Amino acid sequence: MNLFKIEMMKIRLSSYLWAVFGIFISMQAMGILFLFLGVYTPQEGELFTEWSGLSALSTALTIACFSVFSAVAGGRMIVDEYCGKNAVMLFTYPVRRKKILNVKCMILLCITTGAVFISNTSVLGIMYFTAKIFGIMPESSEGSFILQVLLSGLLSGIISSAIGIISAAVGWIKRSVMAAVICSLLIVCIVPNFIAGMPGHIVMTTFAAGVCSIFAAGGMYRFLAKGIERMEV
């Protein structure tokens, strides 16, 4: 039995892709706005006049949006499945419940991390070419900016995925998808601000946030897995 294929068939992937596309377009519009704000409001400082600041703002907003996206996706894949009518069917599979949960979390991680990485790097890439076309020259950051963008994009995906798993676990506890969404909103009030607050250290801040998110998500996952193992239908 290929659980990955079964779970992929159960979700409407097209709806997630449309949501990702919508977030990407919104982030791109905000990125272009930030780029021109640096020209007309240079007094605002490094957030709009330096590539490090623009990268930090774009990354922070991307994490905020995709964390909520991940929470909604996690709520549909986990909370709805285990707290709804489908739970009976899930528990009849001739495999361990934890293995099914692992597949669901892996799908959530792959979709979110891939979407965040592609979106964040594409947004910053298009911003760079737009700056070239219009002759806008934000100050360059130290080191390899391309490497910073790639690393921060990957770490942002991991952070958003971890927040999605944490939120899904909270939603399962409360037996509510809305609780998962609210949990993600509370978290994104803190993490993106931490990243945007130190634009000169985007890789270090995303790495620190990523490590904390992974540990928190790991603890919530273990709690979720034990709870699902004990569930009775």
Side-chain angles (χ1 to χ4, degrees), residues 139-198:
E139 295 181 20
S140 299
S141 56
E142 296 180 0
S144 174
F145 182 65
I146 295 177
L147 181 60
Q148 290 179 18
V149 170
L150 295 175
L151 287 174
S152 62
L154 179 60
L155 290 167
S156 298
I158 294 171
I159 294 168
S160 301
S161 301
I163 292 174
I165 292 173
I166 294 168
S167 301
V170 172
W172 177 81
I173 294 170
K174 296 295 183 180
R175 301 297 193 268
S176 169
V177 175
M178 185 56 67
V181 176
I182 292 173
C183 177
S184 68
L185 290 172
L186 292 175
I187 296 173
V188 300
C189 288
I190 302 172
V191 178
N193 286 322
F194 169 69
I195 292 170
M198 291 187 281

Coordinates of all heavy atoms in Angstrom, one line a residue, residues 139-198:
E139 N 21.6 49.5 -1.8 CA 23.0 49.2 -1.4 C 23.1 47.7 -1.3 O 22.2 47.0 -0.7 CB 23.3 49.9 -0.1 CG 23.4 51.4 -0.2 CD 23.8 52.0 1.0 OE1 24.4 51.3 1.9 OE2 23.5 53.2 1.2
S140 N 24.2 47.1 -1.7 CA 24.4 45.7 -1.7 C 24.9 45.3 -0.2 O 25.5 46.1 0.4 CB 25.5 45.2 -2.7 OG 25.1 45.5 -4.0
S141 N 24.5 44.1 0.2 CA 24.9 43.6 1.5 C 26.3 42.9 1.3 O 26.7 42.6 0.3 CB 23.9 42.6 2.0 OG 23.7 41.6 1.1
E142 N 26.9 42.7 2.5 CA 28.2 42.0 2.5 C 28.0 40.5 2.2 O 27.0 40.0 2.6 CB 28.9 42.2 3.8 CG 29.3 43.7 4.1 CD 30.0 43.9 5.4 OE1 30.2 42.8 6.1 OE2 30.3 45.0 5.8
G143 N 29.0 39.9 1.6 CA 28.9 38.5 1.3 C 28.1 38.2 0.0 O 27.8 39.1 -0.7
S144 N 27.9 37.0 -0.2 CA 27.1 36.6 -1.4 C 25.6 36.7 -1.2 O 25.0 36.0 -0.4 CB 27.5 35.1 -1.8 OG 26.7 34.7 -2.8
F145 N 25.0 37.7 -1.8 CA 23.6 37.9 -1.6 C 22.8 36.8 -2.2 O 21.7 36.4 -1.6 CB 23.2 39.2 -2.4 CG 21.8 39.6 -2.2 CD1 21.3 39.9 -0.9 CD2 20.9 39.6 -3.3 CE1 19.9 40.2 -0.7 CE2 19.5 39.9 -3.1 CZ 19.1 40.2 -1.8
I146 N 23.2 36.2 -3.3 CA 22.5 35.0 -3.9 C 22.4 33.9 -2.9 O 21.4 33.2 -2.7 CB 23.1 34.6 -5.2 CG1 23.0 35.7 -6.2 CG2 22.4 33.3 -5.7 CD1 23.6 35.4 -7.6
L147 N 23.6 33.6 -2.3 CA 23.6 32.5 -1.3 C 22.7 32.8 -0.1 O 22.0 31.9 0.4 CB 25.0 32.3 -0.8 CG 25.3 31.2 0.2 CD1 24.8 29.8 -0.4 CD2 26.7 31.1 0.6
Q148 N 22.7 34.1 0.4 CA 21.8 34.5 1.5 C 20.3 34.2 1.1 O 19.6 33.8 1.9 CB 22.1 35.9 1.8 CG 23.4 36.2 2.5 CD 23.6 37.7 2.8 OE1 22.6 38.4 2.8 NE2 24.8 38.1 3.0
V149 N 20.0 34.6 -0.1 CA 18.6 34.4 -0.6 C 18.2 33.0 -0.6 O 17.1 32.6 -0.1 CB 18.4 35.1 -2.0 CG1 17.0 34.7 -2.5 CG2 18.5 36.6 -1.9
L150 N 19.1 32.1 -1.1 CA 18.8 30.7 -1.2 C 18.7 30.1 0.2 O 17.7 29.3 0.5 CB 19.9 30.0 -2.0 CG 20.0 30.3 -3.5 CD1 21.2 29.7 -4.1 CD2 18.7 30.0 -4.2
L151 N 19.6 30.4 1.1 CA 19.6 29.8 2.4 C 18.4 30.3 3.2 O 17.7 29.5 3.9 CB 20.9 30.2 3.2 CG 22.1 29.5 2.7 CD1 23.3 30.0 3.5 CD2 22.0 28.0 3.0
S152 N 18.1 31.6 3.1 CA 16.9 32.2 3.9 C 15.6 31.6 3.3 O 14.7 31.4 4.1 CB 16.9 33.7 3.8 OG 16.8 34.2 2.5
G153 N 15.6 31.4 2.0 CA 14.4 30.8 1.4 C 14.1 29.4 1.9 O 13.0 29.0 2.3
L154 N 15.2 28.6 2.0 CA 15.1 27.2 2.5 C 14.7 27.2 4.0 O 13.8 26.5 4.4 CB 16.4 26.5 2.3 CG 16.4 25.0 2.8 CD1 15.4 24.2 2.1 CD2 17.8 24.4 2.6
L155 N 15.3 28.0 4.8 CA 15.1 28.1 6.2 C 13.7 28.6 6.5 O 13.0 28.2 7.4 CB 16.1 29.0 6.9 CG 17.5 28.4 7.0 CD1 18.5 29.4 7.4 CD2 17.6 27.2 7.9
S156 N 13.2 29.6 5.6 CA 11.9 30.1 5.8 C 10.8 29.0 5.5 O 9.8 29.0 6.2 CB 11.6 31.3 4.8 OG 12.5 32.3 5.0
G157 N 11.1 28.2 4.6 CA 10.2 27.0 4.3 C 10.1 26.1 5.5 O 9.0 25.6 5.8
I158 N 11.2 25.8 6.1 CA 11.3 24.9 7.3 C 10.5 25.6 8.4 O 9.7 24.9 9.1 CB 12.7 24.6 7.7 CG1 13.4 23.8 6.6 CG2 12.8 23.9 9.0 CD1 14.9 23.6 6.8
I159 N 10.7 26.9 8.6 CA 10.0 27.6 9.7 C 8.5 27.5 9.5 O 7.7 27.2 10.4 CB 10.5 29.0 9.8 CG1 11.9 29.1 10.2 CG2 9.6 29.8 10.7 CD1 12.5 30.5 10.0
S160 N 8.0 27.8 8.3 CA 6.6 27.8 8.0 C 6.0 26.4 8.1 O 4.9 26.3 8.6 CB 6.4 28.3 6.5 OG 6.9 29.6 6.4
S161 N 6.7 25.4 7.7 CA 6.3 24.0 7.9 C 6.1 23.7 9.3 O 5.2 23.0 9.7 CB 7.2 23.1 7.2 OG 7.4 23.3 5.8
A162 N 7.1 24.0 10.1 CA 7.1 23.7 11.6 C 5.9 24.4 12.2 O 5.3 23.8 13.1 CB 8.4 24.2 12.2
I163 N 5.7 25.7 11.9 CA 4.6 26.4 12.4 C 3.3 25.7 12.1 O 2.3 25.6 12.9 CB 4.6 27.9 12.0 CG1 5.8 28.6 12.6 CG2 3.3 28.6 12.4 CD1 6.0 30.0 12.1
G164 N 3.2 25.2 10.8 CA 2.0 24.5 10.4 C 1.7 23.2 11.2 O 0.6 22.9 11.6
I165 N 2.8 22.5 11.5 CA 2.7 21.3 12.4 C 2.3 21.6 13.8 O 1.4 21.0 14.4 CB 4.0 20.5 12.3 CG1 4.2 19.9 10.9 CG2 3.9 19.3 13.4 CD1 5.5 19.2 10.7
I166 N 2.9 22.7 14.3 CA 2.5 23.1 15.7 C 1.1 23.5 15.7 O 0.3 23.1 16.6 CB 3.4 24.3 16.1 CG1 4.9 23.9 16.2 CG2 2.9 24.9 17.4 CD1 5.9 25.0 16.4
S167 N 0.6 24.3 14.7 CA -0.7 24.8 14.7 C -1.7 23.6 14.5 O -2.8 23.6 15.1 CB -0.9 25.8 13.6 OG 0.0 26.9 13.7
A168 N -1.4 22.6 13.7 CA -2.2 21.5 13.5 C -2.4 20.7 14.8 O -3.5 20.2 15.0 CB -1.7 20.6 12.4
A169 N -1.3 20.6 15.5 CA -1.4 19.8 16.8 C -2.3 20.6 17.8 O -3.1 19.9 18.5 CB 0.0 19.7 17.4
V170 N -2.2 21.9 17.8 CA -3.1 22.7 18.7 C -4.6 22.5 18.2 O -5.5 22.4 19.0 CB -2.7 24.2 18.7 CG1 -3.7 25.0 19.4 CG2 -1.3 24.3 19.3
G171 N -4.8 22.6 16.9 CA -6.1 22.4 16.3 C -6.7 21.0 16.7 O -7.9 20.9 16.9
W172 N -5.8 20.0 16.7 CA -6.3 18.6 17.0 C -6.7 18.6 18.5 O -7.7 18.0 18.8 CB -5.2 17.6 16.8 CG -5.6 16.2 17.2 CD1 -6.3 15.3 16.5 CD2 -5.2 15.6 18.4 NE1 -6.5 14.2 17.2 CE2 -5.8 14.3 18.4 CE3 -4.5 16.0 19.5 CZ2 -5.7 13.4 19.4 CZ3 -4.4 15.1 20.6 CH2 -4.9 13.8 20.5
I173 N -5.9 19.2 19.3 CA -6.2 19.3 20.8 C -7.6 19.9 21.0 O -8.4 19.5 21.8 CB -5.2 20.0 21.6 CG1 -3.8 19.3 21.5 CG2 -5.6 20.3 23.0 CD1 -2.7 20.1 22.1
K174 N -7.8 21.0 20.3 CA -9.1 21.8 20.4 C -10.2 21.2 19.5 O -11.3 21.7 19.6 CB -8.9 23.3 20.1 CG -7.9 24.0 21.0 CD -8.5 24.0 22.4 CE -7.6 24.8 23.4 NZ -8.1 24.9 24.7
R175 N -9.8 20.3 18.6 CA -10.8 19.7 17.7 C -11.4 20.8 16.8 O -12.6 20.8 16.5 CB -11.9 18.9 18.4 CG -11.5 17.8 19.3 CD -10.8 16.7 18.5 NE -10.6 15.5 19.3 CZ -9.5 15.2 20.0 NH1 -8.5 16.0 20.1 NH2 -9.4 14.0 20.6
S176 N -10.5 21.7 16.3 CA -11.0 22.8 15.5 C -9.9 23.3 14.6 O -8.8 23.6 15.0 CB -11.4 24.0 16.4 OG -11.6 25.1 15.7
V177 N -10.3 23.4 13.3 CA -9.3 24.0 12.3 C -9.1 25.5 12.6 O -8.0 26.0 12.4 CB -9.9 23.8 10.9 CG1 -9.0 24.5 9.9 CG2 -10.0 22.3 10.5
M178 N -10.1 26.1 13.1 CA -10.0 27.6 13.4 C -9.0 27.8 14.5 O -8.2 28.8 14.5 CB -11.4 28.1 13.8 CG -11.4 29.6 14.1 SD -10.8 30.6 12.7 CE -12.1 30.3 11.5
A179 N -8.9 26.9 15.5 CA -7.9 27.0 16.5 C -6.5 26.9 15.9 O -5.6 27.5 16.4 CB -8.1 25.9 17.6
A180 N -6.3 26.0 14.9 CA -5.0 25.9 14.3 C -4.6 27.2 13.6 O -3.5 27.6 13.7 CB -5.1 24.7 13.2
V181 N -5.6 27.8 12.9 CA -5.3 29.1 12.2 C -5.0 30.2 13.2 O -4.1 31.0 13.0 CB -6.6 29.5 11.4 CG1 -6.3 30.9 10.7 CG2 -6.8 28.5 10.3
I182 N -5.8 30.3 14.3 CA -5.5 31.3 15.3 C -4.1 31.1 15.9 O -3.4 32.0 16.2 CB -6.6 31.2 16.4 CG1 -7.9 31.7 15.8 CG2 -6.2 32.1 17.6 CD1 -9.1 31.5 16.8
C183 N -3.7 29.8 16.2 CA -2.4 29.5 16.7 C -1.3 30.0 15.8 O -0.4 30.7 16.2 CB -2.3 28.0 16.9 SG -0.6 27.5 17.5
S184 N -1.5 29.8 14.5 CA -0.5 30.3 13.5 C -0.4 31.8 13.5 O 0.7 32.4 13.4 CB -0.8 29.7 12.1 OG -2.0 30.3 11.6
L185 N -1.6 32.5 13.6 CA -1.6 33.9 13.6 C -0.8 34.5 14.9 O -0.1 35.5 14.8 CB -3.0 34.4 13.6 CG -3.8 34.2 12.3 CD1 -5.3 34.6 12.5 CD2 -3.2 35.0 11.2
L186 N -1.0 33.8 16.0 CA -0.3 34.2 17.2 C 1.2 34.1 17.0 O 2.0 34.9 17.5 CB -0.8 33.4 18.4 CG -2.3 33.7 18.8 CD1 -2.7 32.8 20.0 CD2 -2.4 35.2 19.3
I187 N 1.6 33.0 16.4 CA 3.0 32.7 16.3 C 3.7 33.7 15.3 O 4.8 34.2 15.5 CB 3.3 31.3 15.8 CG1 2.9 30.3 16.9 CG2 4.8 31.1 15.4 CD1 2.9 28.9 16.4
V188 N 2.9 34.0 14.2 CA 3.5 35.0 13.2 C 3.5 36.4 13.7 O 4.1 37.3 13.0 CB 2.8 34.9 11.8 CG1 2.8 33.5 11.3 CG2 1.3 35.3 12.0
C189 N 2.9 36.7 14.8 CA 3.1 38.0 15.4 C 4.5 38.2 16.0 O 4.9 39.3 16.3 CB 2.0 38.2 16.5 SG 0.3 38.4 15.9
I190 N 5.2 37.1 16.2 CA 6.5 37.1 16.8 C 7.6 36.8 15.9 O 8.5 37.6 15.7 CB 6.5 36.1 18.0 CG1 5.4 36.4 19.0 CG2 7.9 36.1 18.7 CD1 5.3 35.4 20.1
V191 N 7.6 35.7 15.2 CA 8.7 35.2 14.4 C 9.1 36.1 13.3 O 10.2 36.5 13.1 CB 8.4 33.8 13.8 CG1 9.6 33.3 13.0 CG2 8.2 32.8 15.0
P192 N 8.1 36.6 12.4 CA 8.5 37.5 11.3 C 9.1 38.8 11.8 O 10.0 39.4 11.2 CB 7.2 37.7 10.5 CG 6.4 36.5 10.8 CD 6.7 36.2 12.3
N193 N 8.5 39.3 12.9 CA 9.1 40.6 13.5 C 10.5 40.4 13.9 O 11.3 41.3 13.8 CB 8.2 41.0 14.6 CG 6.9 41.6 14.2 OD1 6.8 42.3 13.2 ND2 5.8 41.4 14.9
F194 N 10.8 39.2 14.5 CA 12.2 38.9 14.9 C 13.1 39.0 13.7 O 14.3 39.5 13.8 CB 12.2 37.6 15.6 CG 13.6 37.0 15.8 CD1 14.4 37.6 16.8 CD2 14.0 35.9 15.1 CE1 15.7 37.1 17.0 CE2 15.3 35.4 15.4 CZ 16.1 36.0 16.3
I195 N 12.7 38.4 12.6 CA 13.5 38.3 11.4 C 13.7 39.7 10.7 O 14.8 40.1 10.3 CB 12.9 37.3 10.4 CG1 13.1 35.9 11.0 CG2 13.6 37.4 9.0 CD1 12.3 34.8 10.2
A196 N 12.6 40.4 10.6 CA 12.6 41.8 10.0 C 13.4 42.8 10.9 O 13.9 43.8 10.4 CB 11.2 42.3 9.7
G197 N 13.4 42.5 12.2 CA 14.1 43.4 13.1 C 15.6 43.4 13.0 O 16.3 44.4 13.5
M198 N 16.2 42.4 12.4 CA 17.7 42.4 12.2 C 18.0 42.1 10.7 O 18.5 40.9 10.4 CB 18.3 41.3 13.1 CG 18.2 41.7 14.6 SD 19.0 40.5 15.7 CE 17.8 39.2 15.8

